[in-house]
């Protein structure tokens, strides 16, 4: 539960989960989605089928608010897919809740759950509307659904492939009917999607932490441009697109994914710790204590501290009970020193030279606030070390980095930022350091990371409508 | 938010907060209680007065569920006290919510907020009932209220002193009328109660973390056996009892208090880290990684790792979204490996010799579960180190340690416990190690810790009715 | 569900229900309370016992909001009592919810449910507080509980009798312990309380409509000054007081009770119809249609119409969906003609001479509003006929008639009222007409009605504190 | 709030309301929908526009549950339309809530609110799906939206007309864009739709009772086959279809509409009273009292009683507090005589020959239950008179009469029904009596009623898919 009104965090967009051939399919999906809750807290939904009929439930709220025992027991069937979503608020929200369910003229009931963001959603939508399509939501998922519905291909598999080939952007996708599950990833593999096995039951999840929670074993990643077709007889894999060079979103390692997940085979906590080690190597500093901004920067801070031989301390404490209905202190009270979710620990930082590790700087307001908090608690020096390069470009693939003009690093030098946040020193990780620290074991030419938000090299086309759609946002 | 049906954690009972002479008294109390939320999640309440009339609101739930902006704005007045409570569920719960408010024949409206537990509540209650008292709740606080109401002393101050002198047990107490605030601590100072200043406004809190959140400065502890009388003219201090040797609950350091709080002048995170250091010194072990059971054991684990020169890793991850309505996995699913709120990180522990630091062992079921989880994730060895001595005796002062017979250490040796939880080795901290690691700077004859749950040396009388009341519990 | 902010209706205070010796005691109490819902919509509660232990649930809201199947199933036991309450809103409300449950020094658990109002509650309360009593609620019921708790009588029966003899006012009372039910009515029998049988199980209810709903047979009234003692062996009746001349509240017939109830043996619908007949006889008028203000005046309107030979029509329609959360139209919209819960039927009243029957006039604002509404809908003449005498005095026995000065008839003549409400003619029923129309079959010297709100002849003493308490109200 | 699990009532499907050019458009729509609440209790919604942008809110629940002051204030704009819906329960319900909002390729935002039912919805839907349409709901309204979206006509007006010409069935329709309101009724005028004026602001409503509530004046009916086009300049009327002979649903008079509404110029209460008069003329009976099944049969019972010269009494009382969460008595308790929402008044019916007036018999179970209830309360004879002919055929125009085989009159004679319900005598109104009693003043060849549920003469085509869709229902 993030209070985005105050902290300028990055926002992830979604998580998907699916399981086939298990008597407790919906229950296991519930636990899977619960493990993916950090990827989306706005709405949750599960669709289950017994091979004949869909049962489903979707609502606004956290997984454990949306479902209760009674609802879950009603979702009978041995196949299920689920979704958690992060998004904006308002009336239209529930219609954006996934999985999206509709009736297809030839295959009957069909459910879609996606994670990611399309670059050309707006232009596809306009084209479809001009052909008479009626859109009920603002989600990209409905664009995919309409493309599938309109396809004149003879089979669902071909219709889906045709639809996917019209998409530009990032997506990890589950499509369920009463007899088939289709699983796909975009040609660049921007969003993670892993496959596991729970006994004989295939399982799919945006992150592997959901496998651990239900006791499933990791099998492999869904590949860029791959379309898996699973039915009650077995699984086939086809390619709907030539795979491009893989470009896994580097922010999954830096910030989004849970530390216990492996993204594309690399453990996130371990990768973050290496980011911290590398950050020390690139930008060492004399200090008394190292502290991380909880929770996402803890791993990097541990790594930095170990490499530096400086004690790692809990210099910043997060209140675990900041929920959606938390009353933000008024400006007046904030000026008087009323804190919200983070507190600095006086006895830990007082009179000390503090290294504060954070994963990223978006607008800079949070960093300034934390630096001030540490100084107010008596820190003698505050050295900020960021375990990623400066974010200079908007993301079009599902990370809500806001408009470019709001990114402090888009038009300020590192030293300007240092001054603005009030730090004694400030260093960012280099792109090279980032890539090496993530430490892809099977590094090769077809496998890399998306670094577009740092360097503007978008792995896909980015048309004007996408930029305009983004800039048009509040 | 703890799921006590599955994990056998210790439970704290309450937190109190008060502020006098600030135009935003209720709002600041809200933020203060929010910082004390970990001390009680069952109910919350605030009473405010403008010197003429009480305005109050109490309800079941977390602080940010109980209050909204509208309610908070209605709590006008420049004095306020508040309370968070942990307790059992059921119909009677709201009548146990505090502050308790009643009408006193001579002083008018009166509100009480207490943290602690009386040893002789049951016998006092029976005596009062035989005199015709009508009890509406099962809380000790009402016993105190009834004693005050029945006192024939000429002043409130004397009536309260007379009432307190009949109590045996642990309590930190705030009593508010429209013109006076009384603040008291039991003669042994078992529960913490600190005083701070926000500008000219005196502030009281169960923990100092609430001072940091509102920007107040720490002043001093309320002393054992002290009764503070504050009114609009100033503050006086009297003694209602000869102070006994101070016996601060050692579990405040080990487990309950927030890491950023100072209990009796000692920072909790720092003390815990020293517990970890001492634990290593007492029970070293060859290993590859050190991990703590989140969140309470993280500090001790960091200390252990630093002392041992073994890397500290996030080997266990806690799901932050386990709320009250979380659906526990059925026995059937649990046996199939469905986890709840904790996950082991395979890539961190696989093939490794793991030191797992926890703060205490109550019934042993949680420890067994976590050890199993680590082994299932591939840990080669699991060495459990507990940053406190074995709990062998029930607590009568406000910690819900359950009945003695349920405490695994009450009738098992350390090696038996080791076998039961399936660890390769198990060590507890010694009592001496505990005391030295907490590291009371101003250690002297009148200042010590309550260690009764470890050694049975209760600082107060413990009569039979208290034992029976405890043993009679489910 | 009444919207008291707009309509100035009289308000009833409570309903009680009890049943002994039936395996579905709590369920039947639920249906009984549901039938009594019109007597109180603020809170509801049920206490059940199996002879060993109480199970109970009380909460704010309507009966079907307070209870669900799960809660009801938890209220096991073959004895149960229940309560519905009408009252003011606010924090203190739940502590006023009944049945009140407390622990008695010698008899153990004890529950009280009362309907009525004490005249001397305030002075009793002050006396008890000066002796050290702690009050948690503002309800009269707690005064009774405290008196019972303080009694030094050897048996519960004697303690209750002693307590009741200190009360002045109106009350119908159920007191439950694990082995006894005590049932009492005040010496004047102001509030109704009937006894029925469901097979072998004795049943008590404020109104007989609750008997019909559960299929029980009516047996008799509880008598003024009678104390019934029921236990698992049988029932005894004693007198705790010399019975005064019975004085049943006449407003039970005029307005409060459900038309299908028999109050003191007389059916309410039938009595109301006779009120309408008598009203025509006393104040005939030439007209085209007769209409009643729904729902309480329908019966009287039918009687008037039949006696007059004028068609009875639905000239005023009530919206059934006006719930607690209904948004009242702003003054601005009201002035533009936006109605709330009542509408006049144009086609029925247009161009007609309309007789509008209502049961009473309190402040006159409602009557003026309805007369205006009828005229706006085209009524040529509006003749108002009220099926009760003018209310000139406050009630101290449980009817919220407001302060005297707010009663329009306390300082206005009938003709002045007529002018104020804008009617062409206005007549009230005479006191004699009221008594004769209610038509007590067994009329005799010891049986009559309370007419105090019409003529100020209060059947009990009314001390100054009661008047002050009432006048002090908002 | 109807408890359909127990009573076999007819169910209405919807109500629509709209207002143009009033600063309080959304508030007035709230009051209008509130007056139409009896037409649909499942969901409610309002769309408002200021000429530039839509603001809307829709949710499951009653009007006063769905909206609060804050939500209502957010619906700014001087044009608004609203909808109340009755329907089935379940996940899909909210997606069926209206007004349906979508984005049209050329006209931008578009909202639809409809009352009625299409006969050919299923076949239109299949055809649209085969062309790639994606349906999100099961409502007919979405079929209309998709037809409009797909039309290639140059203007919205022509696109709507083209769409309407493909529909077979009953509909009253409001279509809102940011600059236009389109209003239409099906060629047979099966569902009512009236136009009024509030000052200069045109108002549309399913029933005229909504005009009274907001103080608007009735202007005229929307005509069969008429399409009104309103914009900020004025109103035009075109015909999208040749009007057929008008066939107003006769059940609007018999049961659905509020007594204070005028349907097609005839007041409903007055019409119902005439049904009662005619019923007496057709089927007189010697009796002591006449009673109606509340609330819908009260008017007819009054008419019968007046014509017969037999007293009209409240022999059956309805509990006003039967809400959605009411716990139905178990079969076991029902057999023991526990009633639900209706009670018979013993003192009124005991020893009497009772005429019980009801508006219709669907499955017969309710009638049997009420007859039994009256006999149990002591009625000597029970003569049932139904103010409509026997329902023998399913309705395809929006009334949920269930499948034909469940209609008791579809395969039982009147005397068989009489035996099944246990009445001493039973009579239905004749079709001729029904038509004459409704008493259309401007009766002529182009104006009549739909009597299809009585005689099977459907005013439109009824294709097989409609019959199958209906018969396929649970």
């Amino acid at each position: 539960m993030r209070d985005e009104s105050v902290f300028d965090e990055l926002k992830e967009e979604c998580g998907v989960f699916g399981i086939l051939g298990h008597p407790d399919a919906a229950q296991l999906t519930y636990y899977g989605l619960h493990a993916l809750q950090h990827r989306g807290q706005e709405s949750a939904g599960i669709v289950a089928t017994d091979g004949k009929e869909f049962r489903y439930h979707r609502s606004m709220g956290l997984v454990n608010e949306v479902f209760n025992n009674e609802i879950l027991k009603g979702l009978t069937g041995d196949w299920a897919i689920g979704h958690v979503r992060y998004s904006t608020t308002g009336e239209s929200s529930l219609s954006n809740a996934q999985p999206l369910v509709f009736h297809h003229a030839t295959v009957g009931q069909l459910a879609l759950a996606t994670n990611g963001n399309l670059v050309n959603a707006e232009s596809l939508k306009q084209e479809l509307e001009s052909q008479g399509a009626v859109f009920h939501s603002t989600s990209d998922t409905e664009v995919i659904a309409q493309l599938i519905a309109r396809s004149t291909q003879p089979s669902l598999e071909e219709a889906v492939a045709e639809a996917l080939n019209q998409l530009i952007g990032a997506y990890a996708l589950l499509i369920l009917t009463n007899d088939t599950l289709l699983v796909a990833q975009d040609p660049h593999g921007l969003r993670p999607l892993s496959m596991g096995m729970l006994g004989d039951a295939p399982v799919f999840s945006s992150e592997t932490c959901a496998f651990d929670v239900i006791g499933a074993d990791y099998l492999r990643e869904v590949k860029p441009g791959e379309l898996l077709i699973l039915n009650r007889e077995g699984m086939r894999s086809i390619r709907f697109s030539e795979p491009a060079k893989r470009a896994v979103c580097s922010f999954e390692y830096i910030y989004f994914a849970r530390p216990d997940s492996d993204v594309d085979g690399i453990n996130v906590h371990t990768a973050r710790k290496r980011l911290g080690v590398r950050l020390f190597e690139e930008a060492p500093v004399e200090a008394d204590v190292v502290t991380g901004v909880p929770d996402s920067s803890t791993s990097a801070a541990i790594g930095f501290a170990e490499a530096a031989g400086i004690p790692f301390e809990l210099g910043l404490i997060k209140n675990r009970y900041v929920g959606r209905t938390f009353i933000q202190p008024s400006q007046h009270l904030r000026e008087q020193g009323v804190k919200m979710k983070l507190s600095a620990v006086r006895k830990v930082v007082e009179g000390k030279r503090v290294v504060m590790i954070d994963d990223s700087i978006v607008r800079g307001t949070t960093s300034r606030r934390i630096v001030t908090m540490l100084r107010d608690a008596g820190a003698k020096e505050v050295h900020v070390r960021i375990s990623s390069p400066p974010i200079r470009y908007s993301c079009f693939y599902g990370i809500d980095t806001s408009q470019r003009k709001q990114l402090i690093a888009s038009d300020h030098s590192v030293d300007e930022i240092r001054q603005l946040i009030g730090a004694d020193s400030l260093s960012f990780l280099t792109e090279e350091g980032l890539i090496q620290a993530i430490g892809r074991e099977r590094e090769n030419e077809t496998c890399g990371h998306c670094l577009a938000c740092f360097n503007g090299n978008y792995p896909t086309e980015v048309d004007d409508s996408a930029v305009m759609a983004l800039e048009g946002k509040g």
Side-chain angles (χ1 to χ4, degrees), chain A:
Chain A
M1 283 177 276
R2 300 160 179 176
D3 56 334
E4 53 281 7
S5 58
V6 178
F7 282 75
D8 56 342
E9 293 172 348
L10 299 173
K11 288 162 204 151
E12 175 63 70
E13 302 264 326
C14 297
V16 299
F17 184 90
I19 182 164
L20 301 193
H22 193 289
D24 304 309
Q27 278 93 330
L28 293 167
T29 302
Y30 171 85
Y31 293 109
L33 292 181
H34 189 251
L36 300 175
Q37 185 76 80
H38 61 289
R39 297 184 75 85
Q41 296 99 47
E42 191 199 60
S43 68
I46 296 177
V47 177
T49 174
D50 56 3
K52 287 171 200 150
E53 207 185 338
F54 278 10
R55 273 119 194 156
Y56 54 104
H57 183 73
R58 301 168 301 203
S59 190
M60 306 304 290
L62 298 175
V63 172
N64 62 3
E65 294 166 345
V66 167
F67 296 97
N68 60 34
N69 238 320
E70 201 179 349
I71 290 170
L72 217 45
K73 279 178 186 159
L75 301 175
T76 52
D78 62 338
W79 286 21
I81 67 172
H83 191 271
V84 288
R85 175 179 176 84
Y86 184 90
S87 187
T88 54
T89 54
E91 204 276 346
S92 62
S93 296
L94 184 53
S95 53
N96 279 341
Q98 298 193 25
L100 186 159
V101 175
F102 72 98
H103 189 270
H104 186 279
T106 56
V107 305
Q109 288 178 297
L110 202 146
L112 276 93
T114 66
N115 174 26
N117 201 63
L118 301 183
V119 172
N120 63 337
E122 208 45 46
S123 49
L124 286 172
K125 203 166 162 180
Q126 281 166 22
E127 196 184 320
L128 286 161
E129 276 183 353
S130 74
Q131 294 163 25
V134 173
F135 280 86
H136 295 255
S137 72
T138 56
S139 78
D140 291 0
T141 307
E142 191 174 358
V143 173
I144 306 177
Q146 299 264 15
L147 291 172
I148 295 171
R150 263 145 212 280
S151 169
T152 54
Q153 294 294 327
S155 73
L156 176 64
E157 173 182 334
E158 288 160 296
V160 167
E162 185 185 84
L164 297 184
N165 275 309
Q166 298 174 65
L167 308 179
I168 302 173
Y171 50 87
L173 179 70
L174 302 183
I175 301 177
L176 182 77
T177 72
N178 279 309
D179 58 18
T180 307
L181 179 76
L182 298 169
V183 181
Q185 213 193 29
D186 70 74
H188 299 89
L190 280 150
R191 292 279 142 243
L193 183 58
S194 301
M195 180 177 180
M197 296 298 291
L198 180 60
D200 296 336
V203 193
F204 296 89
S205 174
S206 287
E207 287 188 31
T208 63
C209 62
F211 296 162
D212 295 333
V213 154
I214 61 161
D217 295 313
Y218 172 80
L219 194 66
R220 69 167 175 97
E221 299 298 291
V222 177
K223 293 171 202 152
E226 184 177 23
L227 176 62
L228 293 171
I229 302 107
L230 295 93
N231 56 29
R232 289 175 192 275
E233 277 70 52
M235 180 171 93
R236 286 179 302 120
S237 165
I238 64 170
R239 296 218 155 271
F240 66 88
S241 157
E242 280 310 296
K245 181 175 172 180
R246 175 131 206 208
V248 186
C249 168
S250 52
F251 255 96
E252 293 282 352
Y253 295 100
I254 297 165
Y255 171 78
F256 295 126
R258 254 174 62 160
D260 52 337
S261 286
D262 298 342
V263 172
D264 203 16
I266 298 172
N267 174 252
V268 171
H269 161 69
T270 311
R272 280 182 196 162
K273 206 171 156 185
R274 282 193 302 259
L275 294 176
V277 171
R278 174 76 183 216
L279 187 55
F280 170 73
E281 292 166 0
E282 294 189 357
V285 61
E286 293 248 324
D288 302 308
V289 296
V290 173
T291 192
V293 178
D295 294 325
S296 51
S297 305
T298 302
S299 299
I302 294 169
F304 191 101
E306 280 187 17
I310 304 172
F312 166 69
E313 302 285 353
L314 302 183
L316 292 162
I317 298 290
K318 189 175 177 176
N319 191 322
R320 298 285 169 219
Y321 298 97
V322 176
R324 259 176 305 222
T325 56
F326 181 66
I327 303 168
Q328 296 298 336
S330 62
Q331 181 60 23
H332 163 69
L333 286 177
R334 245 183 343 231
E335 277 163 16
Q336 291 185 27
V338 173
K339 315 285 184 318
M340 299 126 309
K341 63 175 186 183
L342 270 189
S343 299
V345 186
R346 178 169 294 276
K347 288 273 166 99
V348 166
V349 302
E350 201 165 32
K352 302 280 175 57
R353 295 169 298 173
V354 177
V355 182
M356 173 200 122
I357 309 291
D358 205 353
D359 48 62
S360 55
I361 294 182
V362 182
R363 304 189 186 193
T365 48
T366 305
S367 305
R368 186 176 62 239
R369 205 182 289 277
I370 299 173
V371 170
T372 306
M373 204 181 277
L374 288 167
R375 289 208 195 277
D376 288 350
K380 206 164 63 184
E381 298 174 12
V382 181
H383 302 276
V384 177
R385 293 295 177 272
I386 303 298
S387 60
S388 67
I391 303 178
R392 296 204 173 91
Y393 298 87
S394 297
C395 176
F396 297 101
Y397 308 122
I399 308 307
D400 186 4
T401 50
S402 319
Q403 305 166 36
R404 259 203 83 181
K405 61 183 177 204
Q406 295 174 321
L407 298 169
I408 193 172
S410 73
D411 55 0
H412 291 85
S413 70
V414 171
D415 194 59
E416 285 168 349
I417 300 172
R418 184 196 61 72
Q419 282 184 289
L420 285 164
I421 68 172
D424 291 288
S425 76
L426 167 67
S427 293
F428 290 87
L429 194 61
T430 61
E431 283 181 39
E432 199 190 343
L434 172 68
I435 291 170
Q436 290 180 4
I438 292 178
R440 186 158 299 281
E441 294 152 16
R442 50 197 164 86
E443 181 69 61
N444 56 46
E445 278 192 23
T446 63
C447 194
H449 297 101
C450 177
L451 304 173
C453 57
F454 309 125
N455 60 22
N457 295 330
Y458 296 100
T460 70
E461 289 176 55
V462 175
D463 70 6
D464 290 348
S465 74
V467 176
M468 283 173 62
L470 195 70
E471 298 299 317
K473 279 192 206 169

